[in-house]
Amino acid sequence: MNSFNEKIVVVTGPSRGLGRETALRLAAEGATVVVHFGRHGDQAAEVGCAIRAVGGRAILVGGDLSTVDGVAISTRISTPPSPRKRARRASTCWLPRPA
Protein backbone atom coordinates (compact mmCIF):
# COMPACT_ATOMS: atom_id res chain seq x y z
CA MET A 1 0.00 0.00 0.00
CA ASN A 2 1.37 3.38 -1.03
CA SER A 3 1.18 5.92 1.77
CA PHE A 4 0.64 8.85 -0.62
CA ASN A 5 -2.27 7.48 -2.67
CA GLU A 6 -4.89 10.16 -3.29
CA LYS A 7 -2.58 12.84 -1.82
CA ILE A 8 -1.40 15.97 -3.59
CA VAL A 9 2.07 17.22 -2.70
CA VAL A 10 3.87 20.39 -3.77
CA VAL A 11 7.59 20.10 -4.38
CA THR A 12 9.45 23.38 -4.88
CA GLY A 13 12.79 23.31 -6.65
CA PRO A 14 12.36 19.85 -8.19
CA SER A 15 14.43 20.63 -11.27
CA ARG A 16 17.52 18.80 -10.04
CA GLY A 17 19.24 17.18 -7.09
CA LEU A 18 17.34 16.49 -3.92
CA GLY A 19 14.17 18.20 -5.15
CA ARG A 20 14.09 16.01 -8.26
CA GLU A 21 14.62 12.83 -6.27
CA THR A 22 11.94 13.87 -3.78
CA ALA A 23 9.42 14.52 -6.57
CA LEU A 24 10.15 11.19 -8.23
CA ARG A 25 9.97 9.28 -4.95
CA LEU A 26 6.67 10.86 -3.90
CA ALA A 27 5.20 10.04 -7.32
CA ALA A 28 6.39 6.44 -6.97
CA GLU A 29 4.59 6.34 -3.61
CA GLY A 30 1.34 7.29 -5.34
CA ALA A 31 1.15 11.06 -4.87
CA THR A 32 0.05 13.57 -7.45
CA VAL A 33 3.08 15.86 -7.58
CA VAL A 34 2.77 19.57 -8.18
CA VAL A 35 6.14 20.33 -9.75
CA HIS A 36 6.82 23.99 -8.91
CA PHE A 37 9.61 25.89 -10.63
CA GLY A 38 10.93 29.41 -10.57
CA ARG A 39 13.59 29.63 -13.27
CA HIS A 40 14.25 26.13 -14.57
CA GLY A 41 11.00 25.37 -16.37
CA ASP A 42 12.62 23.10 -18.93
CA GLN A 43 14.24 20.96 -16.22
CA ALA A 44 11.01 20.89 -14.20
CA ALA A 45 9.19 19.75 -17.35
CA GLU A 46 11.66 16.87 -17.66
CA VAL A 47 10.81 15.83 -14.09
CA GLY A 48 7.09 16.03 -14.88
CA CYS A 49 7.59 13.91 -17.99
CA ALA A 50 9.67 11.38 -16.04
CA ILE A 51 6.88 11.07 -13.48
CA ARG A 52 4.24 10.62 -16.19
CA ALA A 53 6.41 8.15 -18.13
CA VAL A 54 6.14 5.67 -15.27
CA GLY A 55 2.42 6.19 -14.81
CA GLY A 56 2.55 8.93 -12.17
CA ARG A 57 0.61 12.16 -12.02
CA ALA A 58 2.40 15.52 -12.30
CA ILE A 59 1.22 19.10 -12.60
CA LEU A 60 3.72 21.81 -13.57
CA VAL A 61 3.40 25.25 -11.98
CA GLY A 62 5.80 28.15 -12.36
CA GLY A 63 6.26 31.38 -10.47
CA ASP A 64 8.56 33.30 -8.15
CA LEU A 65 7.37 32.49 -4.63
CA SER A 66 9.31 35.42 -3.19
CA THR A 67 6.80 37.91 -4.63
CA VAL A 68 3.05 38.36 -4.26
CA ASP A 69 2.59 38.29 -8.03
CA GLY A 70 4.61 35.09 -8.29
CA VAL A 71 2.48 33.38 -5.69
CA ALA A 72 -0.67 34.51 -7.52
CA ILE A 73 0.65 33.06 -10.77
CA SER A 74 1.60 29.82 -9.03
CA THR A 75 -1.94 29.34 -7.78
CA ARG A 76 -3.24 29.11 -11.33
CA ILE A 77 -2.49 25.42 -11.77
CA SER A 78 -2.57 24.13 -15.33
CA THR A 79 -4.44 20.92 -15.99
CA PRO A 80 -3.69 18.54 -18.83
CA PRO A 81 -5.96 18.43 -21.88
CA SER A 82 -8.60 15.75 -22.32
CA PRO A 83 -7.47 12.27 -23.46
CA ARG A 84 -8.90 12.98 -26.91
CA LYS A 85 -6.80 16.14 -27.30
CA ARG A 86 -3.73 14.32 -25.93
CA ALA A 87 -4.17 11.57 -28.51
CA ARG A 88 -3.98 14.18 -31.27
CA ARG A 89 -0.64 15.48 -30.05
CA ALA A 90 2.58 13.99 -31.36
CA SER A 91 4.51 14.49 -28.12
CA THR A 92 4.56 11.85 -25.39
CA CYS A 93 4.38 14.34 -22.53
CA TRP A 94 2.05 17.29 -22.18
CA LEU A 95 3.67 20.51 -21.03
CA PRO A 96 1.67 23.59 -20.07
CA ARG A 97 2.11 26.81 -21.96
CA PRO A 98 3.77 29.61 -20.01
CA ALA A 99 1.28 31.92 -18.26
Side-chain angles (χ1 to χ4, degrees):
M1 178 174 165
N2 292 336
S3 59
F4 287 95
N5 277 343
E6 300 185 27
K7 304 285 185 192
I8 299 173
V9 298
V10 178
V11 180
T12 60
S15 301
R16 53 195 168 176
L18 187 58
R20 177 185 175 91
E21 294 306 313
T22 299
L24 295 173
R25 178 63 183 262
L26 288 167
E29 291 290 325
T32 296
V33 180
V34 177
V35 178
H36 177 269
F37 61 93
R39 291 174 286 197
H40 303 287
D42 54 341
Q43 293 172 340
E46 290 175 14
V47 173
C49 288
I51 289 170
R52 292 177 185 155
V54 295
R57 295 172 309 277
I59 301 168
L60 275 65
V61 177
D64 181 357
L65 295 180
S66 69
T67 68
V68 172
D69 289 339
V71 171
I73 290 169
S74 293
T75 59
R76 290 186 237 145
I77 297 176
S78 300
T79 55
S82 69
R84 180 180 290 176
K85 287 183 181 177
R86 274 195 306 254
R88 285 188 241 148
R89 293 187 180 197
S91 66
T92 59
C93 184
W94 178 81
L95 302 175
R97 291 188 181 130

